[in-house]
Amino acid sequence: MSMIETTMINVSGVEKSFTLHNQGGASFEVLNNASLQVQAGECVVLHGQSGAGKSTFLKALYANYSVNEGSIVLRDGEQRVDITSALPRRIIALRRQTLGYVSQFLRVIPRVPTLEVVMQPLLDLGVEREICEAKAKELLSRLNVPERLWHLAPSTFSGGEQQRVNIARGFIVDYPILLLDEPTASLDANNRRVVVELIREAKQRGAAIVGIFHDEDIRDAVADRLVDIKAI
Amino acid sequence: MNAATATGYNFAYLDEQSKRMIRRAILKGVAIPGYQVPFGGREMPLPHGWGTGGMQVTASVIGEADRLKVIDQGADDTTNAVSIRRFFASTAGVETTEQTADATLIQTRHRIPERALQENQILIYQVPIPEPLRFIEPRESETRKMHALSEYGAMQVKLYEDVARFGHIATSYDYPVMVNGRYMMDPSPIPKFDNPKMDMMPALQLFGAGFEKRIYAVPPYTKVESLDFDDYPFEVQSWEENCSICGSNHSFLDEVIIDDAGSKMFVCSDTDYCRERVAQQENPA
Amino acid sequence: MSNAAAQLQPNEGEWQDIEPLLSVRDINKFYAPGKGCGNINFDLYPGEVLGIVGESGSGKSTLLSCLSARLTPDSGQVIYNSEQFGAMDLYACEESQRRVLMRSEWGIVHQHARDGLRMNVSAGANIGERLMAVGERHYGEIREKAAEWLQAVEIDTGRIDDRPSQFSGGMQQRLQIARNLVTHPNLIFMDEPTGGLDVSVQAKLLDLLRNLVSRLGLSVIIVTHDLAVARLLAHRLMVMRRGEVVETGLTDQVLDDPQHPYTQLLVSSILQN
């Protein structure tokens, strides 16, 4: 297999600036001619100062932010999709089966129980409920979310518990492309180790990963390449 | 015209132009079985609700040679029936009768005679509310559209509610019918016992709603089906008792309380039918 | 800028082959200058949930009425790809066809449940009516389906013979949804479905809606002024202001990276928690 065929993410010449129309039309540029390629099974960790655009870059990879220039081509099975110009429904399909995104914030409907929250992405792919449930339970156990909480809605949980529920949700589907936006921030050492394991397992099955980690231990434990956001 | 005819009135009270207008509405009704034809209802010397719709229809179709019978709940001798019969006797000078077989015109409120009607007879119903869909849809603009487009699913809701609440279709009067496979029709508040008589009836059936100014019709030998569910088919009332007077076990019976202790008897609601049966039993021909 | 004008990639052929369920072309409906909606163009694809957001008076409800064949626009076309009739221009076809759509392939969830329910007949009859309207004549089956749908919208089946007037606001809204979904429609129009409900009741309804939409693969056009509702339910958004669409795109993109000054104002006006 040649390098080209295993390229999962191909960012080229991306520019991104924000214009705040309601604050005097102030405009500032965050990404300037950014380019990056990530292969299957590779974990790229972005670094740079706070405000340098790491998160913006990651959000652009998820099509959560639009970009002004350039292309972001993601591999979806046998297809390549430029998410800077794809139709919304194409991006939704891409996110459903190919593109995962894990942040440190859980955003769900308040009353849905934890187990449902975690298995939802897998259920949406049409996987049988028993399989989804088994996998959700396994992930929650590994992330040390006590079993007594599984049938409660996570909105009442502590910040750390919510964060782990969110990680479980993010890892329940074996996405070929994973974007991690500081998922380990404020986790204890024990749970950080679990997340590192999860990331390594994802790499082993061939996922292309782009992440932001402030914690140096984790960075060293998972990164194949460290990339300075100002240099890409 | 006989001598008893009141002077100063046109034949059958209404002026000829009004009668022509009503006849046109009747003809349209006959041409479109079950369709409610609006007409310019005239004031009659009776309050609305007393059969003014039926009377206008009667006045428009009655001729000197006709013999009129008027019944109210099956009886010829109630105030309403007597008044209307006398009204036409004096304004049109026609013969009146209490015998179903002798009548050429029968104006009725709430019953169809038990004796099968014939081709040379016309049955005229007094109708309080002509719109069968009104209970589910109060807007007239909408019900007209529903009729125009044959959207009658909502009508089943009435029957659904009955079965849900009582375990069977409890509607026993005013039971909606489908005429000629096209128009949903309110048969006026006759008991559903009478509904099957409407189907393929040899006599012409005319319906007049005076208050709402609508006329509709079922021509002779027209299909009239009562609504139902596949698993709750249409059924008519039946009684364990027989008529206390004539012994009938197949006619529509009225329950009559006969003393303060609540004792009761059942008698035929169609008084002419009952009388005829008694006469036959006394003098078998 | 908007993604509506986005170009398809050459390698997205199979995505291009799917026919839109609803195609809206140059819809204009103005009651007075600035009152109504104008110059509306979009396609809705099977399984898509489109949110229409904007403040009161922005024309979003007018637009929804035009889209759902309830208000004839001054100009423009709405083409619906019907199972029964094929592609049809909603305002050029027979009214009878539009009415058939409304009780079979479409559902309309009104903001006020009493606009969408028959308040004087039982919950079971409310659900059953649509079945009877499409020709169902077996009481037992109608009742069974009504009970199933009550369950699906989390109303105790023991309440099947109660009238909606005896229900709470949230239950009425869920009953309205059941009544619409019983004939398995393809396209649902919703006008502020969570408006006027308590926050806790809203959450339950949203969860229910989201599950039903994804389980049944429904296409939905939902009008709301609540951006949180839009975020949870809609795949993509149209932001309206003074009767015009000012921005459209993927829901989270529009909300997290708004481009138009008005969208930025709208998004920044939400209280954060």
Side-chain angles (χ1 to χ4, degrees):
Chain A
M1 220 187 272
S2 74
M3 281 289 284
I4 311 290
E5 278 172 340
T6 58
T7 300
M8 299 298 289
I9 302 173
N10 191 354
V11 182
S12 131
V14 162
E15 314 220 340
K16 174 64 183 170
S17 59
F18 292 94
T19 305
L20 304 178
H21 294 286
N22 298 301
Q23 291 172 44
S27 186
F28 49 95
E29 190 174 70
V30 179
L31 300 173
N32 180 13
N33 199 20
S35 298
L36 177 73
Q37 287 198 341
V38 185
Q39 311 300 317
E42 187 184 22
C43 178
V44 171
V45 173
L46 305 174
H47 75 114
Q49 285 178 332
S50 181
K54 302 187 294 292
S55 211
T56 297
F57 185 74
L58 214 56
K59 283 173 172 160
L61 286 185
Y62 194 59
N64 180 217
Y65 284 2
S66 60
V67 300
N68 308 87
E69 284 292 333
S71 66
I72 301 172
V73 177
L74 302 184
R75 181 167 163 167
D76 183 21
E78 293 307 305
Q79 295 186 350
R80 285 171 205 285
V81 184
D82 184 349
I83 59 169
T84 62
S85 59
L87 290 169
R89 62 203 171 93
R90 185 69 188 90
I91 290 169
I92 282 162
L94 191 74
R95 286 175 178 178
R96 193 166 285 178
Q97 51 202 13
T98 302
L99 185 59
Y101 183 91
V102 187
S103 74
Q104 51 184 311
F105 304 107
L106 183 65
R107 200 177 233 164
V108 290
I109 297 179
R111 68 152 193 158
V112 184
T114 297
L115 206 54
E116 294 288 329
V117 166
V118 173
M119 59 201 240
Q120 195 64 53
L122 199 55
L123 276 175
D124 286 348
L125 286 179
V127 176
E128 267 179 63
R129 195 171 179 88
E130 293 76 55
I131 298 171
C132 300
E133 197 170 318
K135 197 163 178 192
K137 285 177 174 171
E138 186 205 319
L139 279 165
L140 286 168
S141 305
R142 286 181 69 182
L143 286 156
N144 303 301
V145 177
E147 200 172 333
R148 63 186 158 79
L149 299 182
W150 293 359
H151 295 284
L152 302 178
S155 47
T156 54
F157 295 2
S158 72
E161 282 161 350
Q162 285 195 13
Q163 199 182 335
R164 281 176 276 145
V165 170
N166 197 38
I167 292 167
R169 179 178 160 94
F171 278 89
I172 193 150
V173 174
D174 291 336
Y175 297 109
I177 301 173
L178 253 184
L179 309 174
L180 308 173
D181 192 353
E182 298 192 52
T184 55
S186 75
L187 284 186
D188 61 32
N190 202 6
N191 283 312
R192 280 208 299 272
R193 259 198 305 281
V194 177
V195 176
V196 167
E197 279 171 30
L198 288 173
I199 294 171
R200 283 181 171 158
E201 287 165 22
K203 272 167 66 176
Q204 264 159 22
R205 63 170 169 78
I209 299 171
V210 180
I212 304 170
F213 301 98
H214 278 149
D215 187 296
E216 268 183 48
D217 295 348
I218 294 188
R219 215 184 282 173
D220 296 344
V222 300
D224 295 304
R225 260 198 297 158
L226 220 54
V227 172
D228 187 337
I229 189 70
K230 285 292 167 206
I232 63 175
Chain B
M1 266 189 220
N2 69 28
T5 308
T7 52
Y9 289 101
N10 193 34
F11 178 75
Y13 184 75
L14 283 179
D15 63 276
E16 293 306 312
Q17 286 305 319
S18 294
K19 287 195 279 190
R20 284 172 75 176
M21 175 270 294
I22 293 169
R23 284 180 206 130
R24 279 190 211 108
I26 292 171
L27 283 174
K28 183 169 178 182
V30 169
I32 317 171
Y35 172 74
Q36 299 167 49
V37 185
F39 76 107
R42 295 291 186 257
E43 288 305 314
M44 297 300 279
L46 246 75
H48 288 298
W50 286 66
T52 54
M55 284 171 76
Q56 290 178 74
V57 172
T58 300
S60 305
V61 298
I62 202 164
E64 286 171 17
D66 274 314
R67 254 189 318 280
L68 177 69
K69 171 182 163 77
V70 182
I71 50 171
D72 177 1
Q73 304 273 17
D76 298 86
D77 55 1
T78 55
T79 315
N80 199 220
V82 171
S83 308
I84 294 173
R85 206 161 51 229
R86 276 187 13 209
F87 177 79
F88 284 109
S90 67
T91 59
V94 295
E95 263 185 69
T96 61
T97 177
E98 296 193 357
Q99 290 178 27
T100 303
D102 286 349
T104 55
L105 283 182
I106 303 172
Q107 182 173 332
T108 177
R109 172 177 177 268
H110 297 192
R111 274 311 310 272
I112 297 176
E114 303 290 0
R115 168 187 273 273
L117 299 182
Q118 304 305 316
E119 286 182 357
N120 60 352
Q121 296 180 304
I122 298 177
L123 183 60
I124 297 159
Y125 298 75
Q126 299 170 203
V127 180
I129 299 170
E131 180 50 72
L133 298 165
R134 186 165 303 154
F135 89 101
I136 190 94
E137 179 51 68
R139 289 169 297 176
E140 181 82 13
S141 60
E142 182 66 14
T143 54
R144 282 196 210 179
K145 230 170 241 179
M146 290 163 85
H147 282 297
L149 302 173
S150 263
E151 288 178 5
Y152 293 133
M155 201 61 217
Q156 299 285 131
V157 168
K158 187 184 172 113
L159 305 185
Y160 172 95
E161 289 289 78
D162 267 8
V163 182
R165 205 169 310 154
F166 306 108
H168 62 275
I169 299 176
T171 299
S172 53
Y173 286 85
D174 236 339
Y175 194 106
V177 292
M178 191 71 170
V179 178
N180 203 28
R182 176 60 184 85
Y183 280 100
M184 184 76 63
M185 190 185 87
D186 188 309
S188 86
I190 58 170
K192 67 178 170 185
F193 179 88
D194 287 343
N195 274 22
K197 296 178 189 163
M198 305 179 86
D199 184 33
M200 303 306 281
M201 184 189 278
L204 170 64
Q205 304 174 70
L206 301 176
F207 299 77
F211 192 72
E212 302 207 13
K213 301 179 172 58
R214 292 287 185 279
I215 284 171
Y216 50 102
V218 177
Y221 302 107
T222 301
K223 205 169 171 196
V224 177
E225 297 160 283
S226 302
L227 293 196
D228 61 3
F229 285 114
D230 295 347
D231 48 343
Y232 286 88
F234 174 78
E235 279 174 353
V236 299
Q237 298 100 316
S238 61
W239 288 261
E240 285 170 17
E241 296 79 5
N242 293 346
C243 172
S244 304
I245 299 170
C246 74
S248 165
N249 59 3
H250 54 264
S251 53
F252 189 85
L253 300 182
D254 282 339
E255 187 179 328
V256 183
I257 306 292
I258 51 176
D259 60 27
D260 288 348
S263 310
K264 56 194 177 185
M265 62 188 278
F266 288 85
V267 295
C268 286
S269 111
D270 184 339
T271 50
D272 173 58
Y273 180 74
C274 198
R275 188 193 48 74
E276 199 178 346
R277 276 176 55 89
V278 170
Q280 252 177 16
Q281 284 157 16
E282 286 168 357
N283 302 306
Chain C
M1 75 156 249
S2 83
N3 276 338
Q7 293 296 307
L8 282 166
Q9 294 300 289
N11 57 6
E12 288 195 90
E14 65 188 81
W15 288 85
Q16 233 167 351
D17 292 341
I18 302 170
E19 284 195 26
L21 194 61
L22 198 71
S23 294
V24 180
R25 296 288 173 266
D26 299 318
I27 284 291
N28 284 284
K29 175 71 196 179
F30 283 103
Y31 307 101
K35 287 275 167 219
C37 60
N39 199 20
I40 310 290
N41 284 282
F42 70 90
D43 287 330
L44 182 80
Y45 287 87
E48 259 191 323
V49 181
L50 171 70
I52 303 176
V53 298
E55 61 197 9
S56 305
S58 59
K60 52 194 195 309
S61 290
T62 298
L63 175 58
L64 194 75
S65 296
C66 286
L67 299 179
S68 54
R70 290 174 297 163
L71 181 66
T72 309
D74 301 334
S75 62
Q77 282 187 317
V78 181
I79 312 285
Y80 171 69
N81 203 344
S82 163
E83 265 175 30
Q84 303 161 77
F85 307 115
M88 54 195 284
D89 181 340
L90 290 185
Y91 293 99
C93 72
E94 294 289 326
E95 184 182 16
S96 58
Q97 291 186 325
R98 289 200 290 269
R99 290 171 66 101
V100 168
L101 287 184
M102 287 200 194
R103 58 178 188 266
S104 55
E105 294 181 40
W106 288 7
I108 298 177
V109 177
H110 299 264
Q111 174 175 7
H112 302 291
R114 58 182 62 252
D115 294 337
L117 292 174
R118 295 204 190 273
M119 300 303 280
N120 59 346
V121 301
S122 68
N126 263 286
I127 300 176
E129 183 184 337
R130 263 176 86 108
L131 292 170
M132 295 185 257
V134 295
E136 183 76 69
R137 288 292 179 271
H138 191 281
Y139 173 84
E141 284 166 18
I142 293 166
R143 192 160 173 89
E144 199 174 311
K145 280 186 196 154
E148 275 171 30
W149 275 99
L150 278 180
Q151 244 169 345
V153 298
E154 301 173 35
I155 294 174
D156 181 5
T157 50
R159 308 283 313 259
I160 191 167
D161 293 330
D162 291 349
R163 293 182 177 193
S165 50
Q166 295 164 278
F167 287 3
S168 68
M171 281 168 78
Q172 287 181 4
Q173 207 56 297
R174 280 179 276 137
L175 179 62
Q176 199 191 171
I177 290 163
R179 172 178 158 94
N180 274 290
L181 294 185
V182 67
T183 51
H184 297 285
N186 298 326
L187 177 57
I188 309 281
F189 299 95
M190 297 188 193
D191 192 1
E192 305 274 8
T194 58
L197 298 179
D198 290 345
V199 176
S200 61
V201 177
Q202 271 193 23
K204 184 174 183 176
L205 188 70
L206 283 174
D207 179 37
L208 184 86
L209 276 177
R210 201 195 47 177
N211 281 326
L212 287 173
V213 165
S214 86
R215 184 152 56 85
L216 303 172
L218 298 172
S219 306
V220 180
I221 298 180
I222 177 170
V223 158
T224 179
H225 70 276
D226 186 338
L227 297 185
V229 169
R231 188 187 280 277
L232 280 168
L233 291 179
H235 295 151
R236 64 190 173 100
L237 288 187
M238 282 190 349
V239 183
M240 290 190 70
R241 186 200 187 199
R242 290 182 195 151
E244 304 228 327
V245 174
V246 296
E247 184 162 358
T248 139
L250 203 59
T251 297
D252 60 288
Q253 205 177 81
V254 169
L255 295 180
D256 295 340
D257 186 17
Q259 304 295 313
H260 190 275
Y262 176 70
T263 317
Q264 290 187 354
L265 184 68
L266 201 64
V267 170
S268 65
S269 309
I270 305 170
L271 297 173
Q272 305 285 333
N273 59 348

